[in-house]
Every structure is written in structure tokens, then in C-alpha cells.
Amino acid sequence: MESPSIRFIIWHVVILFVIVTVSYCFRNDIEFKDVQNLISILQNTSAMIFTIMGLWIAYVYPQVILSLVQSSKVIPIFSKENERAVKSLVGVIVVSAMIMGILVIGTSLQIFIVKTSLFASYSSVFCALGIGSLLTLTYAQLFCIYMVVISSVNFVIKLKNVKNKIGLSKKLDGK
């Protein structure tokens, strides 16, 4: 049986192949105005993920915030599972921040790059790189959206498990 890391690598190689193929095939057909809506969607999604994941960290894991602010007054009750979850949430925020930064830098540089003689000579290469970059950012953003959904579902499952545990405890205690 394959290990998850091999499937993970194969999946990303397939996605990379699709991105390179699409970028190459459409390099002469797509202009900047065609991708402006995608850039806007990626920017808005990054902002949404910043907000949602920041709220997750602040509200779902308040003991982390309290232990940082009032370290002498708070007894750490932070499990390894919670630590992994917070690292995952922070990772998603970092990826979204990188996406936002790349979009800001890329759209800023695009204004100047299209005016160079290098761009005039190799416009299809630049277009392929631009399309590939946007598709890669889109894939990364879709992963971040997936993580937002998974975090939400995991939270609901944890709530249900705690509720069931309390209900079972009450039944066993005869209350």
C-alpha cells in the first residue's frame, strides 16, 4: 500500500503538470484583462481567510492567547492536538499572506514589465509564467479554503463529542 506522502507527491506533480500544460497552451490567448477578476477573487479570498482563521485562533483556542498575555496566571491546558490545530491555522494564514503578497508584487511589477523590450521579445514566455503563477496561487488558495472548511467541521465534531461525553457521564452517574 502506498504511503500518504507518495500520494501527496503524485497529486502535486499531476497538478503541476496540468498547470504547466494549461499555461503553455493558453500563453498566447490570455491577456491581463482576462485574469483581473481572478486576481480580485484571490485577493478577496485571502482577506476572508485572514479574518476567519484569525477568529478561529482567537475564539476556539483562547487559552493560547491567555497563556501568552497572562502566563503567570494561566495553567497551561493546551494539548499536542490543540498545538497541531493552531499550527495548521497559522500555516493557512501564512499561505494566504504569501498569496496576497505575491499578488500585490506581481500586479505592481506587471505594470512595468509589459513596457520593457524583454517583454516585447518574449511576451509568450512572460504570459505563460503569469498564467502558471496565477493557477498555482489559485490552487494554493483552494487548499486554504479546504482547510477553513475542515477546521470548521472538526470543531463541530469536537463539540458533538464533548456533548456526548457529558451526556454519557450524566447517564453513568445517574443524574
Side-chain angles (χ1 to χ4, degrees), residues 61 63-64 78-90 158:
Y61 300 103
Q63 65 268 30
V64 177
F78 199 61
S79 70
K80 287 290 182 190
E81 180 183 333
N82 288 341
E83 183 179 340
R84 279 192 303 270
V86 170
K87 283 182 180 178
S88 174
L89 295 176
V90 171
K158 283 180 184 179

Side-chain angles (χ1 to χ4, degrees), residues 101-117:
I102 291 168
L103 288 171
V104 169
I105 291 168
T107 54
S108 299
L109 289 177
Q110 183 269 343
I111 297 167
F112 302 103
I113 290 173
V114 296
K115 303 295 182 189
T116 65
S117 59

Side-chain angles (χ1 to χ4, degrees), residues 2 10 24 39 49 56 78-79 92 112 128 135 147 156 167 173:
E2 306 177 49
I10 290 171
Y24 179 78
I39 292 169
I49 288 172
W56 269 118
F78 199 61
S79 70
V92 169
F112 302 103
L135 291 175
M147 290 303 294
V156 170
D173 291 342

Side-chain angles (χ1 to χ4, degrees), residues 45-113:
T45 305
S46 283
M48 174 204 68
I49 288 172
F50 264 32
T51 304
I52 291 172
M53 297 312 254
L55 288 171
W56 269 118
I57 291 171
Y59 290 114
V60 177
Y61 300 103
Q63 65 268 30
V64 177
I65 305 298
L66 284 174
S67 67
L68 291 173
V69 176
Q70 303 172 345
S71 59
S72 62
K73 297 178 183 176
V74 177
I75 298 169
I77 53 169
F78 199 61
S79 70
K80 287 290 182 190
E81 180 183 333
N82 288 341
E83 183 179 340
R84 279 192 303 270
V86 170
K87 283 182 180 178
S88 174
L89 295 176
V90 171
V92 169
I93 291 172
V94 168
V95 170
S96 277
M98 289 173 51
I99 291 169
M100 183 68 81
I102 291 168
L103 288 171
V104 169
I105 291 168
T107 54
S108 299
L109 289 177
Q110 183 269 343
I111 297 167
F112 302 103
I113 290 173

Side-chain angles (χ1 to χ4, degrees), residues 3 20 43 54 60 64 87 93 105 107 109 115 118 133 137-138 140 143 151 165 170-171:
S3 72
V20 168
Q43 289 170 334
V60 177
V64 177
K87 283 182 180 178
I93 291 172
I105 291 168
T107 54
L109 289 177
K115 303 295 182 189
L118 191 62
S133 297
L137 293 175
T138 301
F143 174 77
S151 296
K165 193 182 281 185
K170 284 181 182 179
K171 285 181 184 179

